[in-house]
Amino acid sequence: MKIISILGSTGSIGTQTLEVVRQTGDFKVSALTAGSNIELLEKQMREFHPAMAAVMQPEKAELLKERTKDLGIPVYSGMEGLLAAATESSAQMVVTAVVGMIGIRPTLKAIEAGKDIALANKETLVTAGHLVMQAAKDHGVKIYPVDSEHSAIFQSLKREDSSKISRILLTASGGPFRGRSRSELSQVQVEDALKHPNWSMGAKITIDSSTMVNKALEVIEAKWLFGVSFDQIEVVVQPQSIIHSMVEFVDGGIMAQLGTPDMKLPIQYALYEAKRNFLSGDRLNFAALKQITFEAPDMETFKGLALGYEAGRAGGSVPTVFNAANEWAVARFLDRKIGYLDIIAVIEDALSVHERIAHPDLEAILETEAETYRYLEGRWAH
Ligand code: NDP
Ligand code: MG
């Protein structure tokens, strides 16, 4: 029985991870955490009996403590609680399924405590990839990607020599607004942007997929996970989300991973440390499918992707600004405080005033995030 902790167990990835735990019977859960959804966290505690639980919001943590007194499971709160969950002593692996760069500190602490990582929380790699990859190396810890594209690349690289990679072909669905013009995008409402054609995910990543900022974050994520240069990462739009990504090698040969879109596959591939196990669900029927189509991304209309490449190439503290401005803007868009196209305008604005730090440590990254927020509050919040 393998013991895992799940940071962000009440979210889309968190609940699907628990479904894998439930269906396979091969895992025991040591820690569960939520931001504020204590109703669901209580249910999870009653079903999975973790050694501890944590809730970000202190008042909610107090409430949960009251409600779960009979279980005798300690409940912690705030960043301290998240760090305690990340380092819970019995865990062998930590699934990082919180959303946003709030995941940096817990991910680093989990690595320092020698836990392998099943990484869904891409914002952590985008902003602190250099620290995370170095820490993993120093502590002999393995990082298994959960993001479907990165899992596909990881699967395609099995038994291959990664120094023989020529290109990574990162596939993208193109999101719900593929083919739209800029003027059409200016009309987009929150409800429209929350409808993804192929995947059901948390609100933030669904908006990111619609702007293609998600693909930009994934380009930077791929750079860190697979040690390639930005010139070697090409985004290919494949609207059916059947090919989850591909790797081209120096001899021109291409390996790809295909399947029906189901996050449980990459989740369990990570939990089982790159070993195959049965997973129920629909199988691809090529006769019914008939075709898989491809196109180049429209980086002019979906400028977030171009900005992400630029931020990634600039490196240092610049990807942190790109990510923090996006987190700020998406939250404001979901609150209906800014318009859809403002998301990209906010990112551009924040990037244009930032003075790059070449080798930011953890503190500098968190300070860059805070500074970006302060700047945007002054400029865009009214
Ligand atoms: P969700 O919004 O569905 O879930 C996020 C989880 O994090 C919830 O448990 C939430 O708690 C918790 N959380 C939110 N804010 C905070 C905070 N400030 N402090 C502590 N915990 C917090 O997100 P997803 O599951 O969709 O995504 C999680 C990560 O995985 C993201 O980085 C995303 O990019 C990545 N990912 C997701 C995919 C998907 O299919 N969903 C695919 C590939 C990558 P609560 O429920 O209480 O709000
Ligand atoms: Mg993805």
Side-chain angles (χ1 to χ4, degrees):
M1 198 72 105
K2 182 165 169 183
I3 306 177
I4 62 169
S5 289
I6 307 172
L7 310 181
S9 62
T10 52
S12 164
I13 295 291
T15 51
Q16 292 181 86
T17 304
L18 286 172
E19 224 171 293
V20 170
V21 169
R22 198 180 281 128
Q23 281 168 10
T24 60
D26 288 339
F27 303 92
K28 194 181 152 10
V29 174
S30 43
L32 294 172
T33 84
S36 61
N37 187 351
I38 56 173
E39 290 74 24
L40 182 54
L41 187 54
E42 177 179 350
K43 279 193 198 134
Q44 294 179 343
M45 288 165 74
R46 293 192 182 281
E47 181 178 355
F48 295 98
H49 299 280
M52 63 154 290
V55 183
M56 199 58 181
Q57 287 187 10
E59 323 80 64
K60 295 275 177 149
E62 280 311 311
L63 266 176
L64 183 66
K65 228 182 257 178
E66 260 319 295
R67 283 157 58 156
T68 56
K69 252 188 192 153
D70 59 305
L71 293 175
I73 298 171
V75 176
Y76 303 99
S77 71
M79 181 48 79
E80 248 171 72
L82 205 51
L83 296 180
T87 54
E88 198 286 327
S89 60
S90 66
Q92 296 155 292
M93 178 182 266
V94 174
V95 181
T96 63
V98 292
V99 58
M101 57 186 291
I102 188 90
I104 300 179
R105 291 181 61 202
T107 305
L108 285 172
K109 281 282 182 240
I111 293 172
E112 285 161 18
K115 320 283 188 198
D116 283 340
I117 305 291
L119 188 140
N121 177 224
K122 64 189 82 180
E123 296 90 348
T124 281
L125 269 193
V126 168
T127 54
H130 56 301
L131 303 181
V132 169
M133 298 315 287
Q134 187 60 48
K137 206 168 153 194
D138 293 347
H139 295 274
V141 153
K142 294 218 174 61
I143 297 182
Y144 298 96
V146 169
D147 210 344
S148 58
E149 294 79 0
H150 305 74
S151 177
I153 295 162
F154 185 61
Q155 292 175 55
S156 301
L157 282 171
K158 204 168 190 187
R159 296 190 194 88
E160 296 285 356
D161 175 353
S162 59
S163 71
K164 299 288 162 66
I165 298 175
S166 145
R167 284 189 301 168
I168 283 181
L169 300 158
L170 193 70
T171 53
S173 71
F177 308 133
R178 185 174 57 87
R180 301 260 181 110
S181 67
R182 235 186 113 71
S183 69
E184 287 170 316
L185 289 183
S186 67
Q187 307 301 320
V188 165
Q189 300 298 311
V190 172
E191 295 70 28
D192 312 319
L194 282 177
K195 282 183 209 137
H196 193 279
N198 305 332
W199 301 95
S200 159
M201 311 178 284
K204 193 256 176 187
I205 184 176
T206 305
I207 302 296
D208 287 353
S209 300
S210 79
T211 58
M212 290 200 81
V213 165
N214 180 53
K215 211 46 59 180
L217 300 175
E218 292 186 353
V219 166
I220 304 175
E221 183 185 13
K223 181 234 142 61
W224 289 115
L225 284 172
F226 306 110
V228 292
S229 72
F230 286 100
D231 291 339
Q232 288 175 289
I233 308 172
E234 188 176 322
V235 174
V236 179
V237 176
Q238 195 280 277
Q240 299 83 8
S241 298
I242 296 294
I243 301 181
H244 299 307
S245 278
M246 309 180 258
V247 181
E248 183 190 86
F249 295 93
V250 288
D251 58 359
I254 294 174
M255 298 295 285
Q257 187 253 333
L258 287 71
T260 50
D262 181 355
M263 283 308 296
K264 289 203 288 302
L265 191 156
I267 290 170
Q268 79 167 36
Y269 196 75
L271 296 188
Y272 284 110
E273 300 173 20
K275 285 184 196 73
R276 299 268 173 208
N277 273 278
F278 177 75
L279 174 64
S280 65
D282 295 341
R283 303 302 190 234
L284 274 186
N285 177 344
F286 285 91
L289 183 66
K290 291 199 176 67
Q291 60 173 0
I292 303 174
T293 58
F294 304 94
E295 55 195 76
D298 176 358
M299 292 214 223
E300 269 168 45
T301 310
F302 296 92
K303 207 176 170 188
L305 181 53
L307 289 172
Y309 263 106
E310 268 173 46
R313 284 198 169 96
S317 56
V318 181
T320 294
V321 176
F322 176 80
N323 178 76
N326 180 59
E327 287 192 30
W328 189 91
V330 170
R332 291 306 174 285
F333 172 69
L334 286 169
D335 273 354
R336 295 162 208 275
K337 300 259 168 58
I338 62 171
Y340 186 69
L341 287 178
D342 289 337
I343 297 173
I344 302 304
V346 162
I347 298 173
E348 263 189 301
D349 184 14
L351 286 170
S352 72
V353 297
H354 177 65
E355 280 181 42
R356 177 177 175 274
I357 305 165
H359 303 288
D361 57 11
L362 176 59
E363 248 165 65
I365 291 169
L366 298 178
E367 179 45 35
T368 299
E369 179 193 32
E371 192 188 291
T372 303
Y373 274 44
R374 279 195 299 272
Y375 172 75
L376 293 173
E377 291 289 339
R379 290 268 298 191
W380 289 81
H382 32 248

